[in-house]
Amino acid sequence: MTAEVLSTHTPELFKKAVRRAVELLRAGEVVALPTETVYGLAANALDEEAVAKIFSIKGRPSHNPIIVHVADNEMAKRCVDHWPSLAQKLSDAFWPGPLTLVLPRAKEIPNLVTAGGATVGVRWPSHPFIQAVIRECGFPLAAPSANLSNQISPTNAEHVRQQLGGKISLIVDGAQSQVGIESTVLDLSVNPPQILRPGMIHAETLAAVIGNIQQPTFNSQQPKLKSPGMLKKHYSPKAGLLVLSWRDDAELEFKIQNSKFKIEKCFVIAHTKIPAGDHFSDVSVMPHDAEAFARALYAELHRCDAAGAELIVVEAPPETPEWSGVADRLRRAAA
């Protein structure tokens, strides 16, 4: 199998790609679609056989649940057992957008989607293409990131093609993802609500809308995962990855030499302390604001892997709320 890649950059091509994606999804197939966070590997969320194909293609463990994507509030309400006032407040403030709400599941949601759990994560994405496809299908889409399990999420169609081009029949090219990391996941099935996966909508922003929330608990051992992105190791490049702080080149080199990694083929991703580069195979300079950094992060990790990096050193992000999603992805990538 070789994936067909369809562009969307004109109205005619957009409509053609929607028609083809809908045709395949209605037939129980799996397709790769753009979202504003990362590219998703989508199937009919109400069709357990179709969802099983996602797990097979990705090599995804069955205990890792999948987020359900909807095109409006009414579709979201059909996916859950009840829709509390907090969900409505959050939807009014942040949907469509990079926020997933975890709620008690509706009976129609297959066990495989929720990894056998009693809750389901629901999100209304803001990317116009996946919105159009969901509306035309008339059913929600289960759509984890369109990559092999635990590897770096794709933020453009070429990333998807490199990993899954021989396993699926369609990749829709909706340009570069504009958020760049996965959605914030907020569990509304507990009181107070708890962040299960940080993202670019951070805790303080959520608390301003709904009041008190619990911060994420890292590496907690839960009998059933309520959300993707909770495994200790995730979002990982092929190369080893270190997250470090340094004052100067000498300190950076010292820290690398005293790690378990060797300095050969070492790529550095920095945003404030830029090393001279004499002792490194590659140095890239990233933006110093969290949103721009997140948008570029996965593409930069993909680039390092493609260039043969053996070790990627990433400058530690600031310990401030807006960087919490980036810090979470780097922590898991380095695990």
Side-chain angles (χ1 to χ4, degrees):
M1 184 186 296
T2 302
E4 177 184 20
V5 180
L6 293 182
S7 179
T8 59
H9 65 274
T10 70
E12 293 75 18
L13 290 171
F14 186 100
K15 289 176 186 173
K16 177 186 174 185
V18 169
R19 283 196 303 270
R20 180 63 178 144
V22 170
E23 176 187 13
L24 289 167
L25 289 163
R26 285 179 174 164
E29 296 302 318
V30 175
V31 301
L33 303 178
T35 84
E36 78 279 22
T37 55
V38 299
Y39 274 62
L41 192 62
N44 180 353
L46 307 181
D47 180 346
E48 191 147 24
E49 287 186 15
V51 174
K53 293 177 184 177
I54 294 177
F55 282 86
S56 175
I57 290 165
K58 284 177 63 71
R60 185 182 183 89
S62 60
H63 66 274
N64 197 10
I66 296 179
I67 290 168
V68 172
H69 294 70
V70 299
D72 54 39
N73 276 342
E74 293 311 306
M75 188 178 286
K77 292 173 185 176
R78 295 200 298 272
C79 295
V80 301
D81 182 60
H82 65 274
W83 185 254
S85 59
L86 283 185
Q88 189 59 50
K89 284 183 181 178
L90 290 160
S91 170
D92 290 343
F94 301 111
W95 277 4
L99 175 66
T100 295
L101 303 179
V102 171
L103 290 158
R105 61 188 269 203
K107 292 186 178 69
E108 291 76 16
I109 300 297
N111 273 330
L112 194 56
V113 171
T114 68
T119 58
V120 63
V122 182
R123 182 168 95 84
W124 179 359
S126 65
H127 196 289
F129 187 85
I130 194 169
Q131 285 187 358
V133 169
I134 298 169
R135 283 195 300 269
E136 191 66 24
C137 283
F139 50 72
L141 297 180
S145 56
N147 56 284
L148 298 173
S149 186
N150 281 345
Q151 296 191 17
I152 313 166
S153 298
T155 54
N156 60 47
E158 179 58 20
H159 294 159
V160 182
R161 191 195 65 76
Q162 287 171 4
Q163 286 198 41
L164 301 181
K167 293 176 171 243
I168 57 178
S169 56
L170 178 65
I171 300 168
V172 175
D173 186 348
Q176 189 74 19
S177 298
Q178 289 304 295
V179 175
I181 66 170
E182 300 78 6
S183 61
T184 303
V185 179
L186 184 66
D187 184 3
L188 296 183
S189 71
V190 296
N191 186 24
Q194 181 179 24
I195 292 178
L196 299 181
R197 177 175 72 185
M200 298 314 291
I201 298 175
H202 56 78
E204 282 75 0
T205 306
L206 295 166
V209 174
I210 61 167
N212 186 33
I213 62 172
Q214 300 178 63
Q215 293 285 357
T217 303
F218 297 112
N219 303 328
S220 61
Q221 296 299 313
Q222 299 188 12
K224 286 200 181 293
L225 298 177
K226 290 183 174 183
S227 163
M230 297 180 71
L231 300 175
K232 182 177 179 181
K233 182 176 174 63
H234 210 354
Y235 318 112
S236 299
K238 295 171 189 160
L241 191 141
L242 280 175
V243 182
L244 297 174
S245 299
W246 59 87
R247 287 166 297 189
D248 52 35
D249 289 15
E251 183 179 18
L252 174 57
E253 289 175 33
F254 176 80
K255 286 186 173 182
I256 294 171
Q257 286 165 355
N258 282 271
S259 75
K260 62 182 178 181
F261 298 102
K262 295 180 180 177
I263 202 166
E264 290 90 359
K265 276 287 206 175
C266 177
F267 285 46
V268 178
I269 298 174
H271 56 93
T272 58
K273 306 288 188 190
I274 315 303
D278 299 345
H279 297 93
F280 306 106
S281 299
D282 185 273
V283 175
S284 56
V285 181
M286 295 283 276
H288 190 48
D289 75 274
E291 289 189 4
F293 189 104
R295 194 176 303 126
L297 174 60
Y298 286 160
E300 193 60 28
L301 294 178
H302 278 287
R303 186 190 70 80
C304 293
D305 266 352
E310 295 173 4
L311 172 63
I312 304 169
V313 177
V314 183
E315 184 181 356
E319 295 179 3
T320 55
E322 62 269 23
W323 286 88
S324 59
V326 168
D328 172 79
R329 302 310 184 273
L330 291 174
R331 182 186 305 110
R332 296 182 195 279

